[in-house]
Amino acid sequence: MEEVGGSGSEDVGELQVSQRDAKGQYLFDVICHHLNLLEKDYFGIRYVDPDKQRESVDHLEELILSHRQSWMSQPPFTMCLRVKFYPPDPAALKEEITRYLVFLQVKRDLYHGRLLCKTSDAALLAAYILQAEIGDHDPGKHPEGYSSKFQFFPKHSEKLERRIADIHKTELIGQIPEISELNFLQKAQNLETYGVDPHPCKDVSGNPAFLAFTPFGFTVLQGNRRVHLLNWEEVTKLKFEAKTFHVYANQTEDKKIILTFFAPTPEACKHLWKCGVENQAFYKLEKSSQVRTVSSSNLFFKGSRFRYSGKVAKEVMEQSAKIKRDPPEIHRAGMVPSRSCPSITHGPRLTSVPRTRRRAVHISIMEGKPNS
């Protein structure tokens, strides 16, 4: 995996899996243990198959020999840990380590153009990143044009770079990394595309569109504009058949709608459907005991059935409130560790299993590929 929000990849190490039938939950638990991460239900593991189709590792399925992951025939296997369910209110997260990892993911969303915003918001977000990563402006260390050395967005102008530097120099003096990261997240959460992990599709007229599932509901984007937002209470059913994806919703008692879209492949459509089912269960339900197995008739995937197997958002928050421990040390990438700004230590190798019959899985935190 690669880092959630870094400008490049940062290897955490190599996990050696000895059991050929190890489940996805095993790998996930080892990573979270390595990171000292307790609020782990917001995260998941993803890989991209040879056809460039994004897939999530099912915690209940065998990690290596799953028929859906048959391309994993020869080690090492590269996967990435990323935010799977974006917290509706990052400030409500109990631990700083969790907020830091979410910050890294949202920073990468900004870098890859998934988090859209107007210029004034972009300048402030980038300035928060600067303050979090290099601290207060120091003329001796940060000469004219220093902000241009950082890549915050897919592309930006010199005018925007100057505005970023101006905010950093004058408005953020004295902010410690933890506060800058929190300010960044609180600004980002109010943007329309916060939490968007876009799935490319086409609408019924053949126009390109991106579908996404956010903490607040189902979103459709066309160009740089959000054209639909159905909150989770309105969405009644998600269904797919071959490459066709349907969203059923009741906007009022008298107004029921069906939105139809077309994914590039049946595999992409099924992945889209599963993501939607998981997100709806996580954000909408009061408790995990309410989760039901859902099915969607499909010619290519006969009898497709799926059941979300994790906790729901309300349960995660309740569990987080019970955490009682000293905050874990955090080593922030790109910063000199100090008592006031500790950082996450990335060990060179994860070796929690016996040395016999090992198969390597390369792990990084978290994602760095534009399509992941």
Side-chain angles (χ1 to χ4, degrees):
M1 294 177 218
E2 295 159 354
E3 185 178 341
V4 183
S7 57
S9 64
E10 180 168 346
D11 289 337
V12 174
E14 183 178 282
L15 169 66
Q16 302 290 349
V17 179
S18 61
Q19 302 96 328
R20 292 178 64 85
D21 60 350
K23 300 292 193 292
Q25 184 70 51
Y26 172 78
L27 174 60
F28 183 69
D29 288 343
V30 170
I31 297 170
C32 293
H33 176 74
H34 177 70
L35 294 174
N36 211 351
L37 176 65
L38 295 184
E39 295 176 288
K40 59 187 181 181
D41 298 273
Y42 296 103
F43 301 85
I45 302 173
R46 173 183 288 176
Y47 63 91
V48 180
D49 71 17
D51 296 323
K52 300 186 189 271
Q53 172 58 44
R54 297 177 297 175
E55 295 285 353
S56 296
V57 172
D58 191 319
H59 288 189
L60 302 180
E61 287 190 349
E62 292 180 9
L63 180 62
I64 293 174
L65 297 183
S66 165
H67 67 283
R68 292 195 183 107
Q69 296 161 291
S70 58
W71 57 273
M72 288 183 166
S73 57
Q74 296 295 326
F77 314 126
T78 301
M79 306 178 191
C80 60
L81 179 72
R82 75 170 333 264
V83 173
K84 184 176 184 178
F85 303 115
Y86 287 73
D89 180 9
L93 294 169
K94 181 68 179 289
E95 297 204 302
E96 182 185 346
I97 177 71
T98 318
R99 283 192 297 274
Y100 176 61
L101 293 176
V102 175
F103 163 76
L104 291 179
Q105 177 70 66
V106 179
K107 185 178 75 164
R108 179 154 291 280
D109 292 343
L110 185 68
Y111 171 73
H112 283 299
R114 293 187 286 260
L115 184 67
L116 305 176
C117 53
K118 58 186 180 182
T119 303
S120 58
D121 291 334
L124 183 57
L125 289 169
Y128 283 137
I129 295 172
L130 268 185
Q131 184 67 23
E133 296 197 349
I134 68 175
D136 289 345
H137 174 257
D138 181 341
K141 296 179 181 178
H142 310 136
E144 189 69 25
Y146 70 100
S147 64
S148 65
K149 300 183 186 302
F150 295 80
Q151 188 71 36
F152 305 107
F153 320 102
K155 58 182 180 179
H156 53 272
S157 65
E158 291 184 8
K159 181 179 179 181
L160 180 55
E161 287 177 5
R162 289 193 296 271
R163 179 57 185 150
I164 293 167
D166 287 342
I167 296 173
H168 176 232
K169 292 176 185 178
T170 60
E171 299 180 26
L172 306 183
I173 297 171
Q175 279 193 16
I176 62 173
E178 177 183 0
I179 298 302
S180 293
E181 291 159 6
L182 179 57
N183 286 337
F184 172 90
L185 290 173
Q186 289 181 314
K187 184 67 178 177
Q189 79 180 76
N190 292 318
L191 299 176
E192 288 186 347
T193 50
Y194 169 73
V196 163
D197 183 20
H199 299 255
C201 291
K202 289 186 178 180
D203 64 16
V204 291
S205 299
N207 300 311
F210 288 96
L211 312 187
F213 310 104
T214 76
F216 316 107
F218 169 73
T219 297
V220 182
L221 301 168
Q222 289 187 314
N224 292 332
R225 190 167 62 93
R226 186 176 72 186
V227 295
H228 286 291
L229 172 63
L230 299 173
N231 67 53
W232 287 122
E233 293 301 322
E234 294 174 327
V235 177
T236 58
K237 185 177 181 180
L238 302 172
K239 181 180 177 182
F240 83 101
E241 186 170 3
K243 296 191 290 185
T244 307
F245 180 71
H246 303 285
V247 180
Y248 296 75
N250 293 341
Q251 292 191 302
T252 66
E253 288 187 4
D254 301 324
K255 185 179 180 182
K256 298 182 180 181
I257 63 171
I258 302 174
L259 299 178
T260 299
F261 301 91
F262 303 97
T265 65
E267 292 79 10
C269 198
K270 184 176 183 181
H271 176 65
L272 171 66
W273 174 69
K274 289 175 68 174
C275 289
V277 169
E278 289 185 316
N279 276 269
Q280 185 173 29
F282 184 81
Y283 293 114
K284 182 177 181 178
L285 299 182
E286 291 290 312
K287 48 190 176 181
S288 53
S289 61
Q290 296 174 321
V291 175
R292 298 288 180 265
T293 299
V294 296
S295 60
S296 187
S297 60
N298 188 281
L299 299 175
F300 287 82
F301 297 95
K302 184 178 179 180
S304 293
R305 294 168 64 83
F306 180 68
R307 186 179 190 276
Y308 171 58
S309 59
K311 297 183 182 70
V312 301
K314 187 174 181 179
E315 292 172 330
V316 174
M317 293 295 293
E318 291 171 350
Q319 181 175 282
S320 294
K322 298 176 183 177
I323 295 175
K324 306 288 184 186
R325 67 169 179 174
D326 292 332
E329 186 178 16
I330 302 173
H331 289 278
R332 288 176 167 83
M335 299 188 64
V336 177
S338 70
R339 294 182 64 184
S340 61
C341 45
S343 42
I344 295 180
T345 304
H346 295 157
R349 185 179 291 265
L350 302 176
T351 54
S352 62
V353 296
R355 290 183 175 274
T356 58
R357 297 176 62 200
R358 287 180 173 173
R359 296 169 70 85
V361 179
H362 286 317
I363 303 170
S364 337
I365 322 181
M366 292 190 180
E367 74 169 304
K369 294 177 181 149
N371 63 347
S372 57

